[in-house]
Amino acid sequence: MGTDVYGCIEIRDPNADEDWFEWEPWQRCMDLGPLYGGFGDYPAFALLFGVRNDLGWEPLAARRGLPGDVSAAVRAEFEEARRLDAALHGPTWVSWAELARADLTASPAGLRGLVLLREPTSEGGHVRGGYVQRRFWVGERWGSAELVRRTGPGVGGRSPAELPFGEWSVGATRVTYRPFTLGDAVGPGTGWEHVFAVMAALAGRFGDDGVRLVVYFD
C-alpha cells in the first residue's frame, strides 16, 4: 500500500513574545498540496521524516508529533483527518532553520549509490525520439535481479560496493551509477524546491525559526 504526505506551512507572529500579544503565536499559512504532489516519494519521506525508512537512514525530523503550540486550525485538520482515516500516522514538523542548514550534497549512511536508467520512449516497437528516466537507490545489495540485468553484464556477481561509479550503455539504455545525495531526494526537480522556496521567502519576514512545515502521512 502506498504512502502519501499531507500538511501545511505555519508561521509565527513576530509580535508573539510581546506582553500585549493575546493571540495564537503560530498561524496556518499555506497547504503543502499546491506546492508538492507527494505520493510515493519514499527517499524524501525517509530522509526528512523517517517514514518508509527501509534502509535505516538518519532522518532530519522524525517522530516529533504535532508541535505543542501548533495552531488550532492545523490541530483541527489533523484530528478530523485522523477521525476519517485510522491509518493516519507519523505527525511531525521541521523548521526552515533546520532545512536551510541541511547539506544537499551529503550522502546518507547505509546507501551505496543511485542508478539512473535513461531509456528511449517507444510505441509499437518504434523509438519516438524522447527519453524517460528511472531511478533506483541501492544499499548493500542491488535489490532485484531485474535491476542487475538492465544495468549490464558487468554488474552481475558484483555488489554495489564493488562496482565503481560511472556511466555506460546497455543497448539503447544509458546507465549512470553515482553517489546518492540528499539533493537527489529533496533538491531541484523533486518538487520539494517549491516548498523550500516558499519557506525561504516567508523566513525573510518571520525568521528562520518562525517558519515550519507540519506533516503527517497515510
Side-chain angles (χ1 to χ4, degrees):
M1 187 175 180
T3 299
D4 203 355
V5 61
Y6 305 90
C8 73
I9 297 170
E10 285 191 319
I11 53 175
R12 190 175 191 273
D13 194 296
N15 297 308
D17 293 326
E18 299 293 337
D19 292 341
W20 53 262
F21 190 85
E22 58 184 35
W23 301 274
E24 287 188 295
W26 286 90
Q27 304 165 23
R28 189 188 194 286
C29 179
M30 185 173 185
D31 193 82
L32 181 63
L35 301 172
Y36 175 73
F39 181 77
D41 190 3
Y42 300 153
F45 295 173
L47 288 170
L48 290 177
F49 307 116
V51 172
R52 299 299 293 249
N53 192 7
D54 298 332
L55 292 177
W57 298 332
E58 184 176 350
L60 184 62
R63 297 182 295 277
R64 293 178 172 179
L66 292 182
D69 54 0
V70 68
S71 63
V74 174
R75 184 175 297 279
E77 288 176 5
F78 175 73
E79 294 296 342
E80 177 63 10
R82 188 166 58 178
R83 184 185 69 81
L84 296 172
D85 183 1
L88 214 65
H89 66 280
T92 191
W93 62 274
V94 62
S95 70
W96 172 243
E98 294 172 294
L99 292 172
R101 289 194 301 266
D103 181 2
L104 296 186
T105 68
S107 297
L111 192 74
R112 291 297 179 181
L114 174 71
V115 174
L116 302 174
L117 300 181
R118 186 172 184 263
E119 304 170 303
T121 58
S122 63
E123 185 175 285
H126 300 285
V127 175
R128 300 190 57 178
Y131 289 86
V132 294
Q133 182 167 278
R134 298 180 63 193
R135 61 177 55 198
F136 305 85
W137 56 97
V138 292
E140 299 297 331
R141 303 176 183 275
W142 289 110
S144 73
E146 178 194 5
L147 179 58
V148 172
R149 176 180 60 79
R150 296 181 65 189
T151 50
V155 176
R158 306 171 78 177
S159 73
E162 295 170 328
L163 185 71
F165 295 126
E167 293 189 22
W168 60 91
S169 295
V170 180
T173 300
R174 188 66 177 169
V175 181
T176 301
Y177 180 46
R178 63 172 176 79
F180 179 92
T181 67
L182 180 59
D184 288 312
V186 299
T190 65
W192 285 100
E193 70 269 27
H194 308 305
V195 180
F196 295 170
V198 170
M199 294 181 74
L202 290 169
R205 169 74 173 92
F206 301 99
D208 289 359
D209 288 309
V211 180
R212 66 189 179 195
L213 178 64
V214 180
V215 298
Y216 45 91
F217 301 81
D218 73 1

